[in-house]
Amino acid sequence: MVIGTINSNEKEKVKEAFKDVAVPMPLDGYDLHLYCSLGTIAIERKEFPNDFLASIVDGRLASEIQQIRSISQFPILLVENRPKYTDEGFLVIGNRVDKSWTKSKLRNLFRSIRYVKGVDIEFSDSLLDSVQLVTELHVYFNNPEHLSLLRRPSLHTDFFFPTVEERYIY
């Protein structure tokens, strides 16, 4: 089911991965656009670490964040692949250690994106996981009610009926 559009400038492998959920169209400065009952979602997708770090250094990420904020009720930065660190907190890129990026610096960068710029951050483990995540976002933002925090899970037991102790703990 098609749920939005993907930038026609994306790499072919990315467009192929999203072919069942997004139609290629020219998008001005961001990667994905979803239409949901609660509003529009603009997503900037960055592969970590190469594309993500390069876009910080050359200034693309700052302008892309501004773009998704200006056109969407729900701007999201999708970071594909999670950072890995040494025990000392330095970023590991492939087989090498990059001492210019620390866990603290990256956490503060993500905090700036989230709290200062107002863009939420989602992490995925791969391109295929990104497709799944985008589909989940569409379902989530099409749901008019979000009550999971208000519902208490039911009591589960290994017996036919809950024991007195299980009911007490519950």
Side-chain angles (χ1 to χ4, degrees), residues 1-130:
M1 168 176 66
V2 174
I3 58 176
T5 57
I6 186 167
N7 195 328
S8 55
N9 293 336
E10 280 289 332
K11 295 176 186 173
E12 285 304 317
K13 74 173 189 171
V14 175
K15 288 190 285 191
E16 178 65 24
F18 279 94
K19 74 176 185 232
D20 293 335
V21 295
V23 175
M25 287 182 67
L27 299 175
D28 190 28
Y30 60 101
D31 297 326
L32 290 154
H33 201 122
L34 307 178
Y35 304 94
C36 305
S37 61
L38 295 180
T40 62
I41 304 170
I43 300 173
E44 178 58 34
R45 185 187 141 274
K46 292 292 180 193
E47 189 176 340
F48 193 89
N50 299 334
D51 184 34
F52 180 79
L53 296 178
S55 70
I56 292 168
V57 172
D58 66 18
R60 279 182 294 131
L61 186 60
S63 64
E64 291 161 343
I65 283 176
Q66 186 60 37
Q67 181 67 19
I68 62 175
R69 284 182 62 211
S70 69
I71 62 159
S72 172
Q73 290 92 340
F74 303 103
I76 296 174
L77 173 65
L78 171 54
V79 180
E80 200 170 277
N81 302 319
R82 298 174 194 272
K84 295 179 178 76
Y85 304 99
T86 65
D87 291 339
E88 297 82 25
F90 296 112
L91 182 64
V92 175
I93 302 175
N95 294 329
R96 68 181 182 86
V97 175
D98 186 341
K99 292 192 175 186
S100 63
W101 289 101
T102 63
K103 186 184 284 189
S104 179
K105 279 184 181 179
L106 279 170
R107 284 180 176 167
N108 283 332
L109 175 64
F110 290 134
R111 289 178 185 119
S112 293
I113 293 167
R114 179 174 282 133
Y115 302 122
V116 176
K117 295 298 183 182
V119 174
D120 196 25
I121 303 168
E122 295 275 350
F123 289 90
S124 72
D125 297 321
S126 66
L127 180 56
L128 292 177
D129 190 36
S130 293

